[in-house]
């Protein structure tokens, strides 16, 4: 007994360490996308009531993950790494319990194969490396299956309470957990129809704990999303094929065949009756079949279909696959497992969503801003952009103008005018096409576009990503350089060891050549503190040969002063 426990602990530890390496690798490689930005904004407050009332209640999700993440951030901070680690730890718990669940249902070999497959699953990896609630959805699916199976084998009060806790937590993490619990209830009805009372009481306990959230569900369906989810997938063969390889892996037919065969009890030609599903395989099969079937059916009336929601079928599908594999003899089993490991590592069935270059844009604005304003014409994508801009510590002021216009139209004109009045320089980030063109409103407040539009390419769906620079028309000239150029504004600011020098030029006559701008930093003794820089205006983006007389042109230069000793310096 001691030897078995030691071996079990060894397997769990080894599998969790392997999964940890796999999940921590490149954890911050991808930037934030829109839904992650929403999650971060929703969990900014450590007060659970604020998180639920102001954010979750008005969206389409239950609250448990968001409340947990908001409390986690109190202790760990709000770096992308720290917030994604929360999901990594949740998935690692899932790996450990996947081993115990498969071992309990099908045996030792099935246990570590199931945990290994769960760790290597591409969609599990993709979802874990996001600040979203789907890893918690999958881990709690595993815990619900685990506590239910122990309760099914021996329906004691303690095991029933644990099942109630796990089932309730699953429902409070994702609504598709309801399909999992419905399937388990059907399993109890089929296999324990003569002794249903403990299972009825347990499910009644889950319903009672969840009843307080039912009004919120009604609100979310009828008021927030009466027409369904805006990005729901359609019922079509193309979508079904996509879901198959995302949820099962590639080649999807191979994995689906292993899972289907896993429904059978035991492979034997001598006793065909043993091919019938056992209670353990039936439980997994019901979760998969019922969840997929009801999801497709509901989607015909209320669009909600998503591979992320359907990820609840990954754990039971893996359990069925592990059951199939563990029935092979040792030699065949070893060959198959080695093949599966190589296949999982060398192929990809799920990729992170395409991410716009928000970190690059935020970094660029921070380097070239001196107490400027930033307008975000980005609708729902403003939240990840807000995160990156706020974490640059640059002296900037931010207004999500499109969000304000859509959600508070009565305040929009006044708030925009007040915002522009506070700034002499403004950046405009536009994601998508100008269905509503804010640019004339900026010009009407005394601004001009002072630099060429910076094109950051197009998003995966074809929407352009552009950055505009506007400056208020100055009233005076600071200094005139002969009959060629006039400097009408200069601002110097320091942040994050970067000295930013922003200039606004106005040609007196149309330039006939390309001028370079020389910037330098002098010590109190008049010596060069750093090598001077000779650059074309605005890092070459605004050559003077294209300038027109009496117009205004933005120019920006930066110095890295991290290694300069403290003291007084002059900018020239």
């Amino acid at each position: 007994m001691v030897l078995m426990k030691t071996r079990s602990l060894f397997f769990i530890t080894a599998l969790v360490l392997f999964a940890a390496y796999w999940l921590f690798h490149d954890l911050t490689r991808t930037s934030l996308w829109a839904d992650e930005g929403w999650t971060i904004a929703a969990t900014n407050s450590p007060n659970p009531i604020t998180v639920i009332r102001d954010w979750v209640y008005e969206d389409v999700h239950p609250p448990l993950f968001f409340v947990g993440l908001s409390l986690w951030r109190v202790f760990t901070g709000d770096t992308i790494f720290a917030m994604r680690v929360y999901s990594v730890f949740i998935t690692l718990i899932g790996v450990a319990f996947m081993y115990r669940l498969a071992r309990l249902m099908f045996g030792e070999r099935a246990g570590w194969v199931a945990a290994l497959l769960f760790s290597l699953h591409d969609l599990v990896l993709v979802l874990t490396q996001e600040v979203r609630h789907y890893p918690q959805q999958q881990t709690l699916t595993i815990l619900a299956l685990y506590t239910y199976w122990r309760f099914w084998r021996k329906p004691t009060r303690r095991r029933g309470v644990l099942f109630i806790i796990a089932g309730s937590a699953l429902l409070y993490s994702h609504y598709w957990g309801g399909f999992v619990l419905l399937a388990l209830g059907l399993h109890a009805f089929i296999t324990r129809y003569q002794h249903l009372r403990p299972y009825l009481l347990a499910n009644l306990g889950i319903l009672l704990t969840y009843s307080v959230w039912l009004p919120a569900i009604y609100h979310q369906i009828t008021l927030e999303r009466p027409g369904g989810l805006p990005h729901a997938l359609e019922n079509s063969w193309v979508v079904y094929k996509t879901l198959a390889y995302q949820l099962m892996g590639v080649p999807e037919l191979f994995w689906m065949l292993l899972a289907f065969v896993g429904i059978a009890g035991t492979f034997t030609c001598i006793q065909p009756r043993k091919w019938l599903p056992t209670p353990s395989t039936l439980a997994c099969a019901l979760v998969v079949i019922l969840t997929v079937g009801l999801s497709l059916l509901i989607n015909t009336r209320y669009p909600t279909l998503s591979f992320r929601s359907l990820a609840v079928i990954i754990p039971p599908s893996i359990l069925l696959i592990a059951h199939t594999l563990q029935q092979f003899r040792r030699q065949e089993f070893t060959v198959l497992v080695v093949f599966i490991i190589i296949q999982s590592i060398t192929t990809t069935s799920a990729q992170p969503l395409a991410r716009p270059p928000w970190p690059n844009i935020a970094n660029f604005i921070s380097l070239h801003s001196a107490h400027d304003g930033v307008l975000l014409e980005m609708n729902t994508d403003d939240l990840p952009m807000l995160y990156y801009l706020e974490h640059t510590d640059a002296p900037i002021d931010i207004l999500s103008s499109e969000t304000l216009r859509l959600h508070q139209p009565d305040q929009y004109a006044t708030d925009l005018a007040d915002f522009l009045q506070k700034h002499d320089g403004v950046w405009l980030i536009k994601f998508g096409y100008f269905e509503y063109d804010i640019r004339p409103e900026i010009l009407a407040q005394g601004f001009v576009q002072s630099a060429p539009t910076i094109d950051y390419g197009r998003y995966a769906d074809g929407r352009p990503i552009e950055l505009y620079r506007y400056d208020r028309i100055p009233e005076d000239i600071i200094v005139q350089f002969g009959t060629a150029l006039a400097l009408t504004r200069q601002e110097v600011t320091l942040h994050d060891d970067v000295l930013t020098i922003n200039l606004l030029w106005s040609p007196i006559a149309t330039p006939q050549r390309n001028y370079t701008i020389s910037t330098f930093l002098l010590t109190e003794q008049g010596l060069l503190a750093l090598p001077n820089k000779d650059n074309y205006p605005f890092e070459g983006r605004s050559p003077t040969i294209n300038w027109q007389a009496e117009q205004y042109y933005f120019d920006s230069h930066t110095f890295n002063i991290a290694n300069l000793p403290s003291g007084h310096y002059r900018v020239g």
Side-chain angles (χ1 to χ4, degrees):
M1 181 65 70
V2 174
L3 180 61
M4 289 183 62
K5 287 185 177 180
T6 302
R7 187 170 64 175
S8 177
L9 180 61
F10 170 78
F11 276 127
I12 291 177
T13 304
L15 288 166
V16 168
L17 289 176
F18 171 79
Y21 169 78
W22 198 247
L23 296 171
F24 274 105
H25 182 65
D26 284 340
L27 184 58
T28 58
R29 176 176 59 88
T30 57
S31 59
L32 299 173
W33 66 292
D35 284 10
E36 285 185 284
W38 185 92
T39 301
I40 293 170
T43 56
N44 276 333
S45 172
N47 186 340
I49 296 176
T50 301
V51 172
I52 295 172
R53 181 193 61 210
D54 296 348
W55 291 89
V56 180
Y57 182 75
E58 302 297 332
D59 199 65
V60 293
H61 302 295
L64 185 59
F65 172 82
F66 305 99
V67 171
L69 180 60
S70 69
L71 297 176
W72 169 267
R73 290 174 60 180
V74 172
F75 302 99
T76 63
D78 63 349
T79 65
I80 295 176
F81 179 84
M83 290 184 286
R84 286 180 175 171
V85 161
Y86 182 68
S87 292
V88 170
F89 284 154
I90 289 174
T91 296
L92 292 178
I93 294 171
V95 171
F97 274 94
M98 178 63 95
Y99 169 80
R100 298 198 62 174
L101 172 60
R103 181 171 174 266
L104 186 65
M105 280 184 155
F106 304 119
E108 181 75 34
R109 288 199 301 178
W112 67 263
V113 169
L116 183 63
L117 291 176
F118 186 67
S119 304
L120 290 172
H121 198 289
D122 288 326
L123 189 55
V124 172
L125 173 64
V126 168
L127 296 179
T128 298
Q129 294 187 332
E130 294 181 349
V131 190
R132 295 294 285 158
H133 56 298
Y134 301 103
Q136 182 164 305
Q137 164 213 49
Q138 294 180 65
T139 290
L140 285 171
T141 296
I142 295 169
L143 285 172
L145 283 165
Y146 177 72
T147 54
Y148 168 78
W149 191 247
R150 294 181 75 244
F151 182 54
W152 181 88
R153 294 178 66 181
K154 187 178 181 181
T156 64
R157 181 178 300 176
R158 179 176 178 273
R159 293 184 176 188
V161 169
L162 290 175
F163 173 56
I164 291 172
I165 294 172
S168 301
L170 175 58
L171 278 178
Y172 274 107
S173 296
H174 199 282
Y175 294 132
W176 259 239
F179 297 142
V180 176
L181 297 177
L182 183 62
L184 296 181
L186 180 59
H187 177 268
F189 180 79
I190 294 172
T191 59
R192 291 285 193 261
Y193 61 91
Q194 293 180 331
H195 306 283
L196 275 178
R197 187 171 181 273
Y199 309 99
L200 290 174
L201 290 176
N203 282 281
L204 180 61
I206 293 173
L207 181 61
L208 288 175
T209 60
Y210 198 62
S211 60
V212 296
W213 188 250
L214 293 178
I217 298 176
Y218 178 80
H219 170 81
Q220 291 176 344
I221 293 175
T222 59
L223 298 179
E224 293 301 318
R225 297 291 189 276
L229 303 184
H231 302 297
L233 301 172
E234 62 181 1
N235 283 23
S236 69
W237 282 112
V238 173
V239 169
Y240 299 157
K241 291 177 183 178
T242 303
L243 290 174
Y245 74 73
Q246 286 181 322
L247 295 169
M248 300 301 297
V250 290
E252 53 269 35
L253 186 60
F254 170 73
W255 295 108
M256 292 173 70
L257 180 61
L258 287 179
F260 178 76
V261 173
I263 298 175
T266 304
F267 311 148
T268 174
C269 296
I270 301 174
Q271 296 175 292
R273 287 181 61 86
K274 289 191 175 182
W275 280 76
L276 295 175
T278 64
S280 55
T281 62
L282 180 63
C284 299
L286 284 174
V287 173
V288 175
I289 295 170
L290 203 65
T291 301
V292 173
L294 289 177
S295 296
L296 298 180
L297 180 63
I298 291 172
N299 198 56
T300 61
R301 304 299 299 271
Y302 186 79
T304 52
L305 189 61
S306 163
F307 69 89
R308 293 170 180 269
S309 298
L310 280 173
V312 293
I313 73 167
I314 291 176
S317 299
I318 288 175
L319 288 170
L320 292 173
I321 293 169
H323 174 238
T324 299
L325 294 175
Q326 67 96 30
Q327 295 189 70
F328 285 93
R329 292 177 299 181
R330 183 178 299 275
Q331 293 86 348
E332 291 89 344
F333 172 81
T334 303
V335 171
L336 280 170
V337 169
V338 170
F339 166 76
I340 285 171
I341 292 174
I342 296 173
Q343 169 76 6
S344 299
I345 293 175
T346 57
T347 62
T348 301
S349 60
Q351 293 275 12
L353 290 171
R355 311 296 171 95
W358 304 146
N360 296 340
I361 296 175
N363 183 60
F364 181 86
I365 290 176
S366 71
L367 287 176
H368 300 289
S369 290
H371 306 287
D372 295 328
V374 181
L375 292 171
L376 305 182
E377 284 285 302
M378 307 171 66
N379 198 2
T380 56
D381 281 88
D382 62 341
L383 294 175
M385 190 74 248
L386 271 170
Y387 174 87
Y388 286 112
L389 288 171
E390 290 171 350
H391 283 73
T392 63
D393 293 326
I396 54 178
D397 189 16
I398 309 165
L399 178 67
S400 294
S401 50
E402 185 169 356
T403 300
L404 175 66
R405 185 170 61 250
L406 292 174
H407 297 284
Q408 296 174 292
D410 295 339
Q411 295 180 226
Y412 167 71
T414 302
D415 288 358
L416 177 63
D418 291 344
F419 180 84
L420 294 173
Q421 190 64 36
K422 294 188 295 182
H423 302 287
D424 290 327
V426 171
W427 299 96
L428 168 64
I429 306 173
K430 179 58 185 174
F431 182 31
Y433 301 99
F434 280 103
E435 297 178 7
Y436 179 97
D437 197 344
I438 192 177
R439 292 173 294 183
E441 297 179 62
I442 300 174
L443 299 178
Q445 294 291 328
F447 288 82
V448 293
Q449 185 174 347
S450 53
T453 303
I454 301 176
D455 184 2
Y456 280 91
R458 292 179 178 269
Y459 188 53
D461 59 7
R463 286 179 291 171
I465 304 170
E466 297 171 322
L467 178 63
Y468 297 81
R469 171 70 190 194
Y470 293 89
D471 277 279
R472 187 181 300 281
I473 298 174
E475 298 178 355
D476 301 312
I477 294 176
I478 297 175
V479 62
Q480 182 170 321
F481 295 86
T483 59
L485 296 173
L487 180 63
T488 61
R489 183 177 297 133
Q490 59 85 25
E491 292 183 273
V492 179
T493 189
L494 173 66
H495 64 92
D496 287 343
D497 295 326
V498 174
L499 182 72
T500 299
I501 306 166
N502 283 354
L503 309 171
L504 188 65
W505 299 99
S506 181
I508 298 170
T510 300
Q512 300 301 311
R513 65 180 67 182
N514 265 336
Y515 292 101
T516 59
I517 309 298
S518 181
T519 52
F520 44 87
L521 202 61
L522 300 176
T523 65
E524 291 182 286
Q525 292 75 32
L527 302 176
L528 284 175
L530 292 170
N532 67 301
K533 293 185 176 182
D534 291 299
N535 296 314
Y536 293 107
F538 199 18
E539 299 179 338
R541 292 179 175 83
S542 183
T544 58
I545 196 69
N546 295 332
W547 290 5
Q548 300 296 317
E550 299 182 355
Q551 300 300 311
Y552 296 92
Y553 297 92
F554 175 75
D555 183 22
S556 183
H557 305 265
T558 60
F559 283 98
N560 187 327
I561 60 172
N563 297 321
L564 278 183
S566 59
H568 295 279
Y569 298 88
R570 288 188 297 163
V571 174

